Amino acid sequence: MADANARADILTDAVRRPPWGYYAAAALAAATLLLVGLGAIVMRGQPLAFDRAIMLAMREPENMRIPEGPVWLKQAMLDVTALGGETVLTLVVVATAGFLALGRRWLTLALVIGGTLSGSWLVGVFKGLVGRTRPALIDHLVEVWSASFPSGHAANSAIVYLTIALLLMQIVPRRAERLYLLGVAVLLVGAIGISRVYLGVHFPSDVVAGWSFGALWALGWWWFGAWARVRRARAGRGPPSDAAHRPSARSG
């Protein structure tokens, strides 16, 4: 019990005083979203300079219908991009919610549901407002119908995977485990975004904007979760660790 209490105290301290990396990540995401968003809105259906250069590099110079890379890469990109689709992301949120419900971590469960649902809804709103058309520089390797900016796959995968990772990090005791959660989430989000450009269905600026929005949204919910945990602790209703280290605590 003493060891569990000590670990809970350490985690409480981390929640109260987050590392400076969180400040830097939030500032970078906000600045990138602003710059890329304004550029995409101004250009509308036209590619930015770096959009054009990156997209053309994804195809054979003599035939824009043939993607660069080995034969297996196309199928790999199709598999990876599915990880950012609505079906898979919904299953991930439901599975995470079930896991948290079994552990009676009600606060974390509410944060995960609130953060992912509201963020995904906002992405759809932004798409409709900007109304940027899909890129026509290279052939699409998958069928798409919605607007292009921001990338729904990039934004929603960042919202879901990063929000879940950051909120779970608040109730996971060991630093190595927290870094593992964050690392896996970042790799997934990065691969999904790259796959959208490779498949020809998004400008790189769409993906960068999606990444930035999703990261900023996830960090915002991390802050809200930290505030809620500290508030609960000060009110004497349980540790900020959401009862992760105290088996007798059942509220969350």
Side-chain angles (χ1 to χ4, degrees):
M1 179 62 73
D3 182 59
N5 290 341
R7 287 186 297 176
D9 290 340
I10 291 171
L11 194 57
T12 299
D13 186 68
V15 168
R16 278 204 187 96
R17 290 185 288 275
W20 283 101
Y22 285 86
Y23 294 97
L28 178 61
T32 303
L33 181 61
L34 178 62
L35 292 174
V36 175
L38 288 175
I41 291 171
V42 170
M43 297 300 292
R44 284 284 182 169
Q46 301 300 317
L48 301 172
F50 75 93
D51 281 334
R52 183 179 181 84
I54 293 174
M55 294 200 75
L56 292 178
M58 296 290 177
R59 296 293 183 270
E60 294 286 348
E62 63 277 4
N63 190 342
M64 288 295 154
R65 294 183 178 181
I66 302 176
E68 284 282 5
V71 176
W72 56 263
L73 185 58
K74 176 183 175 181
Q75 185 58 51
M77 288 296 180
L78 290 170
D79 294 338
V80 168
T81 209
L83 298 176
E86 292 182 6
T87 301
V88 173
L89 292 179
T90 300
L91 290 173
V92 169
V93 173
V94 170
T96 303
F99 171 76
L100 294 171
L102 287 173
R104 300 188 181 184
R105 296 181 173 101
W106 306 121
L107 175 57
T108 306
L109 172 59
L111 292 168
V112 166
I113 297 297
T116 54
L117 291 183
S118 58
S120 295
W121 176 78
L122 272 179
V123 171
V125 172
F126 288 156
K127 274 180 170 286
L129 289 175
V130 178
R132 190 185 197 187
T133 57
R134 295 280 178 169
L137 282 172
I138 58 179
D139 284 10
H140 298 177
L141 302 183
V142 291
E143 294 294 331
V144 289
W145 299 275
S146 62
S148 187
F149 184 91
S151 165
H153 277 65
N156 286 323
S157 64
I159 288 168
V160 170
Y161 293 124
L162 289 179
T163 298
I164 290 175
L166 289 175
L167 290 174
L168 289 182
M169 286 170 68
Q170 294 181 342
I171 63 174
V172 170
R174 295 176 56 193
R175 184 172 183 271
E177 294 168 344
R178 296 198 295 271
L179 290 177
Y180 177 81
L181 283 171
L182 183 60
V184 170
V186 169
L187 286 175
L188 281 172
V189 172
I192 290 166
I194 292 171
S195 74
R196 302 307 285 173
V197 178
Y198 183 86
L199 296 174
V201 295
H202 275 295
F203 295 110
S205 56
D206 298 333
V207 171
V208 172
W211 281 338
S212 301
F213 175 80
L216 196 60
W217 191 258
L219 287 166
W221 279 87
W222 186 94
W223 278 107
F224 182 65
W227 172 83
R229 296 181 200 285
V230 173
R231 184 179 176 86
R232 283 173 55 82
R234 289 174 178 171
R237 290 183 291 174
S241 54
D242 198 20
H245 313 302
R246 299 179 188 237
S248 61
R250 292 303 181 185
S251 63

